Amino acid sequence: MTAQPAHDHLVTDRSLLSTKAYATGQHLAARQSLYQWQTPRHDLPGIVVNQLKDTHGAVADVGCGNGKFVARVRQERPDLTVLPMDVSHGILAAIPGAVVADVQHLPIADGTLGAVLALHMLYHVEDQARAVKELARVLSPGGIAIVSTNSRTDKRELEDLWRRTAGDVLGTEQGPARVQLSARFTLEDAPTILGTVFDDIRTMPLPGVIEVTDAEPVIAHLASYEAWAGQMGVPFKQTIERARERVNETIQAEGAFRITCLGGILVCQ
């Protein structure tokens, strides 16, 4: 498994997550929107719905964020009872039936769900072992847990951009790394963590390349980390503005700014 990143405690800070980071869906939406320019396009909610084809009864979306997956499951599987949950009250405001809940202590009886979703959120959980046990506990026999995260190689171009840009601002060759959310629960590490509880884990890698000819989607993605601005060791807004200049320079020289992506979905039983 990978070593824990330097900003580990910041990624799991419950107070920060439920206020600055996810008080609304703004920052999450900025990160999601970058994938509009990815080839091939992966319809993640559609993939999740397809994996639920044999599921009946109730499904919990734990760490549901802005409800993107909740809305799609409700639309295409009205026969399922969908339970949206998140630690942030603010981000749940527009999601009908949503409740504030922590995956480490799910307010759900044993063996009552046909499926549980934990999509791009386990890296925010302090006690991942406990969370995985909770995901398994609430599933009925034959139920599935659908989990997603990113590879440790995902979007390395953005990490390089940030460090070079931070260096420009600080007057050094390379600046400090930014907070990397998925580093605590990567696609490579996930099977080992999930395998402590689940016997059958199927991984679906979802590679792609994002190519933009306008800097703004990239800048919006970087700016969505504002909640951690004080811990990145660099003037945040000044670094964002310099990043815009660097991305525009690349677009002018190469015709586009390209980002290599690798995420994935894990289906567990």
Side-chain angles (χ1 to χ4, degrees):
M1 292 175 61
T2 57
Q4 293 296 295
H7 300 298
D8 183 72
H9 67 288
L10 302 173
V11 177
T12 63
D13 187 320
R14 174 76 176 266
S15 175
L16 185 149
L17 294 174
S18 60
T19 55
K20 294 181 181 179
Y22 300 107
T24 70
Q26 175 187 353
H27 294 317
L28 177 58
R31 291 196 285 276
Q32 291 171 337
S33 68
L34 185 60
Y35 292 97
Q36 294 178 53
W37 289 271
Q38 178 175 291
T39 304
R41 291 280 297 274
H42 298 296
D43 179 11
L44 296 184
I47 293 172
V48 169
V49 169
N50 185 59
Q51 294 302 314
L52 295 174
K53 62 182 182 300
D54 296 323
T55 297
H56 303 282
V59 176
D61 187 350
V62 182
C64 67
N66 55 15
K68 180 179 179 181
F69 290 85
V70 171
R72 185 69 169 273
V73 175
R74 283 175 168 171
Q75 176 186 351
E76 298 196 19
R77 288 294 306 276
D79 58 304
L80 296 176
T81 299
V82 183
L83 310 172
M85 301 179 174
D86 202 282
V87 296
S88 173
H89 179 273
I91 206 169
L92 296 174
I95 307 174
V99 298
V100 175
D102 186 338
V103 67
Q104 298 167 108
H105 308 279
L106 290 174
I108 301 172
D110 294 359
T112 56
L113 300 181
V116 61
L117 314 181
L119 305 169
H120 279 82
M121 54 77 64
L122 281 173
Y123 40 73
H124 284 310
V125 179
E126 184 174 2
D127 190 341
Q128 292 174 350
R130 183 183 184 97
V132 172
K133 288 179 181 177
E134 281 290 273
L135 295 179
R137 178 186 65 79
V138 300
L139 289 175
S140 60
I144 61 172
I146 303 177
V147 178
S148 67
T149 189
N150 293 324
S151 166
R152 65 174 67 105
T153 67
D154 181 64
K155 302 185 191 70
R156 280 187 170 172
E157 294 86 352
L158 289 186
E159 306 313 321
D160 181 59
L161 171 66
W162 179 266
R163 298 198 71 165
R164 288 187 293 118
T165 300
D168 291 345
V169 172
L170 296 174
T172 61
E173 183 176 348
Q174 191 176 71
R178 65 174 183 154
V179 171
Q180 298 179 38
L181 301 183
S182 57
R184 291 192 70 252
F185 184 77
T186 68
L187 194 61
E188 293 79 10
D189 295 338
T192 299
I193 297 170
L194 296 166
T196 60
V197 175
F198 295 101
D199 295 325
D200 183 7
I201 301 170
R202 178 165 50 91
T203 302
M204 304 169 58
L206 301 171
V209 176
I210 292 171
E211 186 171 296
V212 297
T213 56
D214 181 343
E216 292 314 306
V218 174
I219 300 310
H221 180 96
L222 293 178
S224 73
Y225 284 74
E226 185 179 7
W228 295 279
Q231 292 80 28
M232 290 196 192
V234 67
F236 186 75
K237 292 185 178 179
Q238 189 177 348
T239 304
I240 293 295
E241 290 308 309
R242 176 58 184 141
R244 178 181 282 108
E245 294 173 357
R246 272 194 171 269
V247 174
N248 279 326
E249 289 167 3
T250 299
I251 292 171
Q252 184 174 5
E254 303 178 14
F257 186 87
R258 297 173 181 86
I259 304 165
T260 305
C261 302
L262 179 57
I265 289 178
L266 304 100
V267 181
C268 314
Q269 286 185 292

